[in-house]
Amino acid sequence: MNTLSATGMLYREKLYGQMLVLLYSSIDSMGLLDARPTQTSASGESFKNWVKKCLLTYPGLEYNEVDLWAARCAVLHTFTSESDLSKGGRAREVQYYSGPKDSPMAKAFVAATKTIDNGKHVHAHIEDTYLAFLEALKVFPKDLLNNSGKDPAYEARLHKVLQQFALLTSNNALKSRTSFAGTG
């Protein structure tokens, strides 16, 4: 719920770059939660698997899981669209746009994105990307519950991932943090 609130606020305020940081970080977490039971940290593979399974089912998205992994790396590491994967020609650079898709400006942007640098770029409508993420978050809990029923390692990992948020909302954690800081 916190992720939904935070991404929603950033989206409403048109802070799309910051929203993408949170969206990509959340996909990292979801990918880890869905990864094989023995996996202990998020990876490119778990990110791409979750994107392919949960996000790319949304209609009209032009990018693939490798493009989105490269976009994640670019945004989180340099806040640009260029990643090591795109520089090496192994992924397309995701170029986001916003607003009505049928506007002349949007149509021109999409057409230009397809032709610049011989297919090095792919367009992504920010609203569709956000809606795809929200739809993926709606269906993913069913998979998570199903996995937890099959192997207790999934439930244990879920508790680890969510533990830090539970501690931050605890009064005892707040008291411990203030005591630690030397304020009482």
Side-chain angles (χ1 to χ4, degrees), residues 28-43:
D28 270 333
S29 296
M30 299 304 142
L32 174 61
L33 290 172
D34 199 46
R36 66 187 181 283
T38 57
Q39 189 167 330
T40 58
S41 60
S43 68

Side-chain angles (χ1 to χ4, degrees), residues 6-7 10 14-24 75 79:
T7 55
L10 293 168
K14 297 183 180 180
L15 298 168
Y16 300 133
Q18 291 76 13
M19 183 194 76
L20 288 172
V21 169
L22 184 54
L23 187 141
Y24 290 142
V75 168
F79 219 66

Side-chain angles (χ1 to χ4, degrees), residues 34 48-57 139-140 143-144 147:
D34 199 46
K48 290 181 279 189
N49 288 341
W50 192 86
V51 165
K52 192 172 184 177
K53 177 182 172 183
C54 298
L55 193 107
L56 293 180
T57 58
V139 298
F140 180 60
D143 288 345
L144 188 57
N147 285 343

